[in-house]
Amino acid sequence: MKTRFTEAFGIEHPIIQGGMQWVGRAELIAAVANAGALGCLTALTQPSPEDLTKEIARVRDMTDKPFAVNFTILPTLKPVPYDEYMDAIIQSGVKIVETAGNNPKDHMPKLKAAGIKVIHKCTSVRHALSAERHGVDAISIDGFECAGHPGEDDTPGLILIPRAADQLEIPIIASGGFADGRGLAAALALGADGINMGTRFMATKEAPVHENIKKRMVEADELQTTLILRSLRNTSRMFTNEVSQKVVAMEAEGKGIEEIGPVASGQKGRLVYETGDENAGVWSAGMCIGLINDIPSVEELVTRIVKEAEDLINERFKKIVA
Ligand code: NAD
């Protein structure tokens, strides 16, 4: 498949593994790159900019293909030295950065001066247009179905993707709700140049996620996600577990971030992936969890998605119009 995204970014398949806190580590990113898709190492998963530099080097030990680093700017419980993380990315010679969470404008001069291509992930057409004006090279447009932060507009991909395709000049990656070749073919039909998947890549052999959690993802259906932090206008879609339910209850009681923060903290969520205890903290999951039925290798997953989409376009669609 050739799209504006594969051509501009030099990636074989129109598939991105988007930034995932705690999951976007070297082993997964290298496996995605070696499968011909674009993996995003998640900067803030690393405890310091120095650790990020080492993790980037670990990716390079495992692949010579292109990969990206995700740089998310959202409220955090502890201050993050964003400029130092950005310097670590630039000094490591990374060629592609995925920005998310907030307007990337303050970082664009440095990124552009370093010749880095930027994919900005956002959840509304107005934010996408603003990022385009600030010089990003592609937009990942993230529908309400997505894991993590869907924004506050609640616009599903079926509307958001063609709206973005109508308005933007630069390549568009459809994000949120994608897990198989049907999704890829649909995204291309809606005007996108590729898909971004997070949750689907969590349930792969190479993802650094405890086996119990991968199995839980296979069992779960699309109803098992919960929106937390709505009351703080920092909505986040998480797996429905004891902790996400507790956060929703605390919000209903009018509690603020001082009390909610320790319960919803990412450090506790990290324990879920490490220990396999699904109730150790909150952990992200998109609605596409209902479409996940197995735990393939990354290579098997990427190959299968591309083939399924190609077969749909070449066979099913052709028969329908024949
Ligand atoms: P954290 O432990 O600092 O915070 C936990 C949650 O509370 C996060 O969702 C955070 O956005 C939210 N939060 C913190 N302070 C807040 C405030 N003052 N007001 C409203 N909400 C607040 O976060 P973490 O798990 O260590 O993650 C680090 C960063 O990465 C966060 O910004 C998080 O949202 C983001 N993140 C990114 C991805 C991704 O895919 N790139 C996925 C999950 C989380």
Side-chain angles (χ1 to χ4, degrees):
M1 286 184 168
K2 263 196 200 141
T3 69
R4 293 185 302 171
F5 165 69
T6 62
E7 300 284 283
F9 287 78
I11 309 296
E12 192 183 344
H13 303 303
I15 298 176
I16 299 180
Q17 166 260 310
M20 289 178 277
Q21 184 69 338
W22 314 125
V23 179
R25 298 176 190 268
E27 283 75 12
L28 178 61
I29 277 59
V32 173
N34 288 330
L38 180 64
C40 294
L41 196 68
T42 309
L44 301 191
T45 293
Q46 298 304 318
S48 71
E50 295 73 37
D51 290 302
L52 177 58
T53 301
K54 287 184 201 150
E55 194 71 358
I56 291 168
R58 286 212 313 123
V59 178
R60 291 218 175 93
D61 287 342
M62 291 182 264
T63 187
D64 53 10
K65 301 254 181 82
F67 64 96
V69 177
N70 166 281
F71 185 82
T72 294
I73 314 158
L74 277 168
T76 48
L77 297 176
K78 285 193 197 145
V80 173
Y82 286 109
D83 287 334
E84 290 165 32
Y85 275 95
M86 183 54 80
D87 289 346
I89 294 169
I90 291 171
Q91 281 158 19
S92 297
V94 167
K95 296 282 175 252
I96 306 172
V97 164
E98 179 192 65
T99 54
N102 208 329
N103 196 320
K105 69 177 182 336
D106 294 345
H107 299 280
M108 288 306 291
K110 263 190 184 175
L111 286 163
K112 288 287 114 181
I116 293 174
K117 282 194 190 304
V118 179
I119 303 167
H120 182 61
K121 183 152 64 184
C122 56
T123 58
S124 77
V125 176
R126 63 189 185 282
H127 293 152
L129 285 167
S130 165
E132 183 180 57
R133 277 196 300 278
H134 285 107
V136 305
D137 300 280
I139 291 288
S140 223
I141 194 84
D142 212 6
F144 185 54
E145 305 89 331
C146 73
H149 297 269
E152 310 304 324
D153 292 346
D154 302 357
T155 312
L158 201 54
I159 312 298
L160 197 55
I161 300 157
R163 280 276 293 128
D166 284 347
Q167 301 277 318
L168 294 159
E169 300 288 329
I170 54 180
I172 295 163
I173 311 299
S175 181
F178 296 97
D180 58 28
R182 295 171 296 184
L184 174 54
L188 297 173
L190 292 171
D193 300 279
I195 55 170
N196 176 94
M197 305 191 300
T199 306
R200 176 61 270 199
F201 277 113
M202 278 170 64
T204 57
K205 291 201 170 87
E206 293 90 340
V209 170
H210 196 284
E211 212 52 33
N212 291 356
I213 302 304
K214 293 180 189 176
K215 287 188 183 137
R216 196 70 190 86
M217 293 179 71
V218 170
E219 287 163 11
D221 67 21
E222 67 279 11
L223 302 177
Q224 278 161 276
T225 75
T226 295
L227 296 174
I228 66 166
L229 309 186
R230 280 240 105 156
S231 58
L232 304 177
R233 291 192 61 77
N234 184 21
T235 302
S236 196
R237 188 183 294 285
M238 296 288 169
F239 190 76
T240 303
N241 68 1
E242 289 168 12
V243 194
S244 57
Q245 296 297 96
K246 180 169 179 189
V247 173
V248 170
M250 290 174 84
E251 290 184 79
E253 289 163 14
K255 302 239 157 73
I257 189 67
E258 304 73 29
E259 284 165 286
I260 293 173
V263 180
S265 91
Q267 290 302 332
K268 285 193 180 145
R270 182 168 62 87
L271 293 178
V272 172
Y273 303 131
E274 287 178 9
T275 65
D277 172 3
E278 68 167 286
N279 289 309
V282 292
W283 51 285
S284 297
M287 287 176 144
C288 75
I289 201 162
L291 299 173
I292 296 174
N293 302 312
D294 61 355
I295 306 168
S297 71
V298 165
E299 166 80 32
E300 284 164 346
L301 178 67
V302 169
T303 308
R304 180 170 83 196
I305 289 176
V306 172
K307 180 165 187 327
E308 190 185 4
E310 284 174 351
D311 288 350
L312 272 171
I313 295 163
N314 287 329
E315 292 166 25
R316 183 173 150 80
F317 291 178
K318 283 224 171 106
K319 266 191 217 147
I320 290 170
V321 292

